[in-house]
Amino acid sequence: AQSVTQLGSHVSVSEGALVLLRCNYSSSVPPYLFWYVQYPNQGLQLLLKYTTGATLVKGINGFEAEFKKSETSFHLTKPSAHMSDAAEYFCAASSGGSYIPTFGRGTSLIVHP
Amino acid sequence: KAGVTQTPRYLIKTRGQQVTLSCSPISGHRSVSWYQQTPGQGLQFLFEYFSETQRNKGNFPGRFSGRQFSNSRSEMNVSTLELGDSALYLCASSLNILTGTNYGYTFGSGTRLTVV
């Protein structure tokens, strides 16, 4: 079964600093990979996804992620954090012919002024 | 284009009661999935419906059930509520069909269920 590990339940950055949220998956077959964001009292919103093709994926709100097969990683980055980026971020993966994703436990991004 | 609509947004029920939650997917989406979100367990998959058929099911007891109607709207039901059922219940719709591209989910805002 697929598993997804997000390193760090909380990440704190200053406004304008680089954002790096880590995600590792366990899969022996090429996965579909996703990042979602959840703001308080809301559902999850799809930020970006990797299916096939280019390993560097650009998403909404200036976020991007790079699929690294050799490291089984799909880390999320943003060059410059904004206060509005403060939210919970979830990495998800599906593979083996199933569309049902397994979600990581989430990383809370805290942005300091 | 309307998003995924979940009703009600908030619900308080007493232990032992039953509850029905509703989800209207994005127009054209035939796949509807349900998740339970709690601080302790994170996001856990309940079930997925596609064209009125349950296609996948998670590891939840039989007290949790669902269905999908011909217009793709879905309901989930929890019978004999327990305190541990308190959670945010999220519905997600998708363009995913049986094969092909994995489009990912569009989530609703959820129903916050509190069991007292």
Side-chain angles (χ1 to χ4, degrees), chain A residues 91-110:
Chain A
C91 180
S94 62
S95 63
S98 171
Y99 288 122
I100 306 302
T102 298
F103 285 86
R105 295 302 300 270
T107 297
S108 178
L109 177 64
I110 302 160

Side-chain angles (χ1 to χ4, degrees), chain A residues 1-4 24-33 92-96 100-103:
Chain A
Q2 181 72 262
S3 70
V4 176
N24 289 88
Y25 65 91
S26 68
S27 175
S28 59
V29 298
Y32 292 108
L33 296 162
S94 62
S95 63
I100 306 302
T102 298
F103 285 86

Side-chain angles (χ1 to χ4, degrees), chain A residues 11-19 79-83 109-113:
Chain A
V11 169
S12 182
V13 300
S14 298
E15 192 173 19
L18 171 71
V19 175
S80 176
H82 296 158
M83 296 296 291
L109 177 64
I110 302 160
V111 182
H112 296 286

Side-chain angles (χ1 to χ4, degrees), chain A residues 32 34 36 38 41-46 49 51 88 90 94 97-105, chain B residues 9 35 37 39-43 45 48 56 90 96-100 102-105 107-109:
Chain A
Y32 292 108
F34 308 85
Y36 290 86
Q38 185 177 33
N41 298 316
Q42 294 187 27
L44 282 70
Q45 179 184 6
L46 182 64
K49 65 182 179 188
T51 54
E88 189 86 11
F90 292 90
S94 62
S98 171
Y99 288 122
I100 306 302
T102 298
F103 285 86
R105 295 302 300 270
Chain B
R9 286 296 310 273
Y35 283 81
Q37 185 179 26
Q41 299 297 321
L43 280 153
F45 172 71
E48 183 215 10
N56 290 284
L90 292 166
N96 291 343
I97 56 176
L98 295 177
T99 59
N102 188 332
Y103 293 95
Y105 288 149
F107 281 85
S109 295

Side-chain angles (χ1 to χ4, degrees), chain B residues 87-100:
Chain B
L88 180 67
Y89 289 87
L90 292 166
C91 169
S93 76
S94 172
L95 276 170
N96 291 343
I97 56 176
L98 295 177
T99 59

